[in-house]
Amino acid sequence: LVLMSFLMVLILFTGAVSAVSLNSSDIELASSGVKNYTEANSHVPSYVDVNGKNSSTASYLNTAAKFTTELNSGTTSAVTISTVNAASSPSGSATGQLSKSEYVSIASHITSFISTNGRAPNYASSTLGNIRYESLVYTYSKIIDFYATNGRLPNYVTVVYYSGTGSTGVSLCSNLNICNNRTQK
């Protein structure tokens, strides 16, 4: 009976799926892809797939905001991809420069909002005015892309107005074996 119970518990835990996390390299690659996609298409992608780890754009924003606050505190822990619903009614048109202290503070507010509401914010309040959801996605992709290139957070970031989410997404692979295995399935 004890052996049967042990086997049942083992089977239950073996079938459990662990949460998917993005390490710093994954997040940097994703951010570069989101930045480049947005600049090329004038809207943010609908999803981000890095090394077979897929997330919605709203989930990417949560990951990027969390990673920005981590970088500011000197850590680069893996960030778990959370299920985040899209912004319900994006609004805001602010553009201009945000200081490092302000964009880090906004990142903290974004993750707090998402944790409480289960969805991405429609906008974030700033000294520039309300920054639209899509502009936030692009802004945090630029911040992390800068970090990947320079090894530090930028002293400021320029917020650019973007509106709309594309019907396609970004798929990136840094490991050729992972990419080849995915295309062969």
Side-chain angles (χ1 to χ4, degrees), residues 113-142:
F113 180 91
I114 290 171
S115 176
T116 302
N117 298 287
R119 69 169 178 84
N122 293 321
Y123 62 87
S125 299
S126 75
T127 57
L128 303 172
N130 292 338
I131 303 170
R132 187 180 179 92
Y133 160 73
E134 295 94 332
S135 297
L136 291 169
V137 171
Y138 176 67
T139 298
Y140 285 93
S141 73
K142 286 191 340 180

Side-chain angles (χ1 to χ4, degrees), residues 56-129:
S56 67
T57 301
S59 294
Y60 164 78
L61 175 61
N62 189 45
T63 300
K66 283 181 183 178
F67 194 63
T68 298
T69 57
E70 280 190 9
L71 291 172
N72 189 58
S73 66
T75 62
T76 55
S77 303
V79 176
T80 301
I81 298 173
S82 301
T83 300
V84 177
N85 293 316
S88 58
S89 184
S91 62
S93 58
T95 60
Q97 286 188 353
L98 293 176
S99 68
K100 179 179 173 182
S101 62
E102 187 169 14
Y103 73 69
V104 168
S105 176
I106 292 170
S108 179
H109 291 293
I110 290 169
T111 58
S112 177
F113 180 91
I114 290 171
S115 176
T116 302
N117 298 287
R119 69 169 178 84
N122 293 321
Y123 62 87
S125 299
S126 75
T127 57
L128 303 172

Side-chain angles (χ1 to χ4, degrees), residues 4 6 11 22 31 38 42 77-79 81 96 102 105 114 117 122 139 145 149 157 163 167 172 174 177-178 182:
M4 290 285 289
F6 175 76
I11 290 169
L22 297 176
S31 297
T38 303
S42 299
S77 303
V79 176
I81 298 173
E102 187 169 14
S105 176
I114 290 171
N117 298 287
N122 293 321
T139 298
D145 185 62
T149 302
V157 65
S163 173
S167 59
L172 307 155
S174 62
N177 290 332
I178 293 172
R182 285 182 43 221

Side-chain angles (χ1 to χ4, degrees), residues 170-181:
V170 175
S171 293
L172 307 155
C173 255
S174 62
N175 182 324
L176 192 54
N177 290 332
I178 293 172
C179 296
N180 288 338
N181 288 338

